[in-house]
Amino acid sequence: MSGGEVAGILVAVFWAILVSFLAVALARLAQTLKATTKLVADVTEQAVPLLSEASTAVRSAQTQLDRVDAIATDVQEVTSNASALSTTVASTFGGPLVKVAAFGYGVRRALGRKSAGQQAGAAGGRTEPPGRGVIVGRAVPTARRGKRKKD
């Protein structure tokens, strides 16, 4: 055999080995593509019902949001009506009620002074209301309940 024939045989052998490696690689690639195709089909089967359920949930949520919006509008209207009613009642009855309360306080104080004056006249002296003393026309409050903190 000549050198060219040996070289041709070696090239043919290496070429056969290369083709067999490529055949194995292509076979594995085909298996991977089959598995991927099956996985995509399974995901599609499960995704379609999930998307349908998600769409239903979104529609339900939109309906609930519409209801909540209507409720919030009604609450806002009720609040404004209550505020208007409160303002009306305060302006209608507020002034007269304050006057009646002031009148009642004045009557109670006058009756208290009258009864204190009668008691002082019977005892022969002037009495002070309990818990307050008068010093040069000023009222001095009673002692404080809490103690002061030391610095």
Side-chain angles (χ1 to χ4, degrees):
M1 274 203 198
S2 70
E5 291 176 347
V6 172
I9 291 176
L10 284 177
V11 168
V13 169
F14 284 124
W15 192 249
I17 293 172
L18 179 66
V19 168
S20 63
F21 280 130
L22 288 176
V24 170
L26 286 175
R28 290 191 182 197
L29 181 62
Q31 289 176 351
T32 305
L33 285 176
K34 284 181 184 178
T36 304
T37 304
K38 183 180 177 188
L39 179 66
V40 168
D42 291 343
V43 167
T44 303
E45 285 179 17
Q46 293 177 1
V48 171
L50 287 176
L51 289 175
S52 175
E53 290 175 14
S55 177
T56 304
V58 168
R59 282 191 207 108
S60 174
Q62 182 63 36
T63 304
Q64 295 300 325
L65 284 175
D66 291 342
R67 289 179 183 170
V68 168
D69 188 37
I71 290 170
T73 303
D74 291 343
V75 167
Q76 184 178 10
E77 185 178 332
V78 167
T79 302
S80 65
N81 288 343
S83 176
L85 180 64
S86 172
T87 303
T88 302
V89 168
S91 65
T92 303
F93 296 113
L97 285 177
V98 169
K99 290 177 183 176
V100 167
F103 178 74
Y105 175 75
V107 168
R108 190 175 49 219
R109 189 164 178 186
L111 290 176
R113 283 187 179 170
K114 184 177 179 183
S115 66
Q118 289 174 353
Q119 289 175 358
R126 184 173 167 211
T127 61
E128 297 291 331
R132 295 177 99 45
V134 177
I135 301 175
V136 191
R138 293 181 57 187
V140 178
T142 58
R144 293 185 182 179
R145 293 182 187 170
K147 295 182 181 179
R148 289 189 177 189
K149 294 181 180 179
K150 294 182 181 180
D151 293 320

